[in-house]
Amino acid sequence: MTVRAPLTTLECAVEFVLFVREDGYTALRAATPDGAALTAVGAQLAGARPGEGLRLTGRWGEHRRHGAQFAVEECERRPPAGVPAIRRYLGSGLVRGVGPLLAQAITERFGEDTLEIIDRVPGRLSEVYGIGERRTRRITESWQAQKTIKELMSLLRGYGLSPLLAEPIHRVFGHESLKTVAREPYSMVGEVDGLAFAAADRIALQAGGALDDPARLEAAVWEVCAVRARRAGHCHLPAEQAVLEAAALTEQDPALLREAAERLTVGRGAPLSAEQHPATGEPLLAPRALRRAENKLARALALLAAAPSDLPEPVRRRVAAGQFGDGLHPGQREAVRMALTHPVSVITGGPGCGKSHTVREIVELVRAGGGSVTLAAPTGKAARRLSELTGARAVTVHRLAADPTAGEDGEEALFGPRTTMVHLIVIDEASMLDVHLAARLAAAIPPGTHLLLVGDIDQLPSVGPGCVLADVLRVPAVPRTELTHVFRQAQDSTITANAHRIRAGQPPELRRADFWFAEMDDPAQIARTVVQIATERLPAKLGADPADVQVLCPTRRGAAGTLELGRLLQDRRNPRQDNEPEYWSGSRVFRVGDRVMAARNDYAKGAAGVFNGTLGTVVDLDLKDGALAVLTDDGEQVDYDFAQLDELIHAYAVSVHKAQGSEFPHVVAPLTLDAPALLTRSLLYTLVTRARRTVVLVGQPRALRQALENPGPARNTLLAHALAAQLDAAADPD
């Protein structure tokens, strides 16, 4: 029988944070009043800041790797005691406008009264040199926001929820946050990242809400139809499936959920659309915005397909006469002819089949005939790679749809006068297009311009909802060419050969110099091995820079997911340094030197915007102004406010989905059965094709078999039906 250590209460001040888990479990270093150091762990510590005073109740224990730890069961937070602690607290990045130097100046002026001055008479901050009216206002607003966040944390703890939800809630609802949590918790469903129906439901029910509250039932339907369905890539759900899932969530009669679903579809501003499947007549529920996007995209593509071509006459003559591409494979020649004959067309094919070379021939042919071409891809990385492969300038699809000068130098793309229009637009990596982005792009292209989609439908579908490329290919009226011939140079690559084997559902050839599978079963051991291979063994063997080795994961969670592996890799490649600044945002810590990736599009950043998938390195961390600077791999420096850090993810380990459109010299990837539903053939195929020189898989043989045998779930979309109907109507206007 194990004897538990007795409960102990102690006072301490936080020195620095060691680790924060997504559920709020935190490890930190602290010092007692007599100067003794200790490591404290527990969920009650979430949100603690350097300098903050804590009164902890818990038990001493021994961790097999980290030694003595104080496991916290209760935590009472107290203001920092003493000027040094106040200075550390203010200078930690907690309060915008105050960094370590200004914190020192403020505490030198006000001493132990500093926090009371900021809280009650902030106007006195102007007594400190360098603090004017604008900075005083900034400090005051930030201080009040932190007070609200602390109250939110306490409130969330009371409901048994992670206090780390406080900051995302405050970002969305601001000064209304406390009222929203207390009075309208269901309004947060679908609005706050990381807050699902179950969290809002816990708050409402503990506050005395009724099980059949209409707001509760409607929030459950919205969670199923919008939040969960969108996460799975669906544009709609069968109505009965949605009702039954919502009924299971709420444990209520499905009849009540049907009524809730109907309420969400009534009126012009209703968030859901109710309709019937055009082929089966089955009732459907869909977020109205997604249905609008699908219909908008179908109309735009049909309009482009029916319009007379504006290609210059010399181009059309050469194509008709077959005066192009003497060195092309017959499949490539057919692809060139198709793209320059039909206003909307698709080129598909696997790796090594010459898609990029075909695009280059098309570009050269159009330009030689006096036409203009714009190349684009969904991410900056993919656009840069397209430019390198074709020798032509390429931009992101987002920029193409948003920026009227995104075309060739000196021309106005899309929105310009007809005399300066782009004659051909090529979208590479088209499998990455979600329905919203594709609709926005297609609607911006003037009729007469040719649109060529290039992609590989065996890759993972888009991160966002829909499967645009596959849906377009389901419409027989859309011209397409599949390139199947694998060229000799590509045949010599084990990676390319294995990619085609995986594409066909066949096991890859393992234990080659450039393609290796290290078999082991324990996920924790798999994670440690991945870290060792990525940071030590592979760089030593190949003489490679560790920065050229990218870890890709099928899932975010688990011992070998991006969250845990990213933390381990960060600790190895960019560990905490004494006297160097760092900033904790939720469960993540940012340091100078960190590899990061943009997780969202931001058109206002940089010269041409920063887009999802952009990679970079943190080059500055300003605790005073509450911002960090990222030098992107494109050589541009962009700033992120601390409140915008949810737009960045650490890039030490990223999901395969996030890596779409990118290529890396060397890829190391764990394969475990922690999330078997995510192990699909398209995921494995996408993973392998991200590597140029080396692939190392580490994991369970059963996981590899699972991925090969599972083609992946289909997505619920109506684009193919809508596009076919629009094309039929255009072909037969009567």
Side-chain angles (χ1 to χ4, degrees), residues 55-124:
R55 180 181 174 85
L56 305 178
T57 300
R59 306 174 194 273
W60 284 103
E62 191 76 18
H63 190 278
R64 62 183 180 84
R65 289 176 59 198
H66 303 299
Q69 292 184 341
F70 190 74
V72 177
E73 297 182 16
E74 295 180 18
C75 173
E76 180 184 342
R77 293 163 190 268
R78 300 185 171 186
V83 171
I86 294 172
R87 184 179 301 144
R88 189 182 303 115
Y89 183 67
L90 278 182
S92 68
L94 175 75
V95 181
R96 287 194 64 192
V98 180
L101 292 178
L102 194 55
Q104 180 174 344
I106 294 172
T107 52
E108 285 176 354
R109 176 68 183 86
F110 299 117
E112 294 192 358
D113 296 330
T114 294
L115 300 185
E116 187 173 355
I117 294 291
I118 296 175
D119 192 39
R120 299 189 178 184
V121 281
R124 288 193 60 192

Side-chain angles (χ1 to χ4, degrees), residues 645-661:
L645 292 183
D646 57 343
E647 297 180 15
L648 286 177
I649 60 173
H650 286 88
Y652 296 108
V654 299
S655 69
V656 179
H657 243 131
K658 284 290 185 186
Q660 283 180 276

Side-chain angles (χ1 to χ4, degrees), residues 21 77 215 233 290 456 728:
R21 212 163 56 195
R77 293 163 190 268
L290 283 173
D456 183 348
D728 287 345

Side-chain angles (χ1 to χ4, degrees), residues 694-713:
T694 312
V695 172
V696 180
L697 305 177
V698 184
Q700 301 161 329
R702 291 170 299 158
L704 179 60
R705 289 196 298 272
Q706 160 85 7
L708 288 169
E709 294 168 1
N710 178 13

